[in-house]
């Protein structure tokens, strides 16, 4: 019988790289946040061990917690994602079907706020005219 274990990678540089990629950032973008070069980011991402202080800097730049970065694993992300979708009844087809429904309320809300803003501007102009 084969035993499946949850292997958590101890390669800290790879964790930095994976989170950076999940964010959709380039090495240059992460480097800009840290004030270092793209090459320095690449070197860190290739490092197996990264000191806690340096890892904290990267966690802040990546906008994640230190513990989240230190304990990051793709298995956890996939597990959390699968559990979220399985338990909420959302399917890929229902997501596609509801995209239009998501955009319309946002557009309507923005239009409503713009109308309210116009009314408030008119009221302000009226009040200023009365004071003169």
């Amino acid at each position: 019988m084969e035993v499946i274990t949850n292997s958590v990678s101890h390669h800290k540089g790879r964790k930095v790289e994976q989170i950076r990629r999940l964010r959709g950032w380039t090495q240059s973008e992460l480097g800009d946040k840290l004030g270092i070069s793209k090459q320095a980011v690449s070197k860190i991402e290739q490092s197996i061990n990264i000191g806690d202080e340096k890892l904290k800097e990267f966690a802040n730049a990546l906008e994640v917690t230190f513990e989240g970065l230190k304990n990051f694993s793709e298995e956890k992300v996939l597990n959390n994602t699968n559990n979220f979708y399985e338990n909420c009844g959302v399917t890929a087809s229902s997501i596609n079907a509801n995209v239009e429904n998501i955009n319309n309320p946002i557009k309507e809300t923005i239009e409503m706020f713009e109308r309210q803003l116009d009314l408030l501007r008119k009221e302000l102009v009226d009040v200023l005219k009365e004071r003169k």
Side-chain angles (χ1 to χ4, degrees):
M1 182 167 112
E2 184 180 344
V3 177
I4 299 174
T5 60
N6 185 7
S7 62
V8 176
S9 172
H10 296 288
H11 194 294
K12 293 177 183 172
R14 193 164 295 132
K15 292 178 183 191
V16 169
E17 178 185 12
Q18 290 170 324
I19 293 174
R20 175 185 59 78
R21 288 178 184 263
L22 284 171
R23 289 262 184 240
W25 297 348
T26 63
Q27 288 178 334
S28 296
E29 290 170 323
L30 180 56
D32 289 344
K33 289 180 169 285
L34 290 162
I36 60 176
S37 69
K38 171 187 174 182
Q39 292 78 9
V41 172
S42 176
K43 186 175 180 179
I44 289 290
E45 289 180 352
Q46 294 172 22
S47 301
I48 294 173
N49 292 316
I50 302 172
D52 283 352
E53 289 305 312
K54 182 64 83 177
L55 202 61
K56 286 177 185 177
E57 291 176 29
F58 273 83
N60 287 333
L62 290 165
E63 301 170 4
V64 297
T65 64
F66 169 71
E67 292 80 15
L69 176 56
K70 192 172 185 176
N71 298 322
F72 176 83
S73 74
E74 285 185 359
E75 291 87 8
K76 288 180 183 179
V77 172
L78 291 173
N79 184 44
N80 289 339
T81 303
N82 286 337
N83 284 336
F84 172 77
Y85 285 114
E86 287 174 8
N87 294 330
C88 72
V90 175
T91 63
S93 61
S94 67
I95 291 172
N96 289 335
N98 290 320
V99 167
E100 192 64 32
N101 294 336
I102 292 170
N103 292 331
N104 285 338
I106 293 171
K107 183 179 177 183
E108 291 171 5
T109 303
I110 291 170
E111 291 171 354
M112 179 193 68
F113 279 114
E114 288 175 343
R115 286 191 304 269
Q116 289 179 340
L117 185 60
D118 286 340
L119 288 172
L120 289 172
R121 282 186 185 133
K122 289 175 185 176
E123 288 178 17
L124 179 62
V125 168
D126 291 342
V127 168
L128 291 175
K129 284 180 182 177
E130 289 176 10
R131 287 187 178 179
K132 288 184 181 183

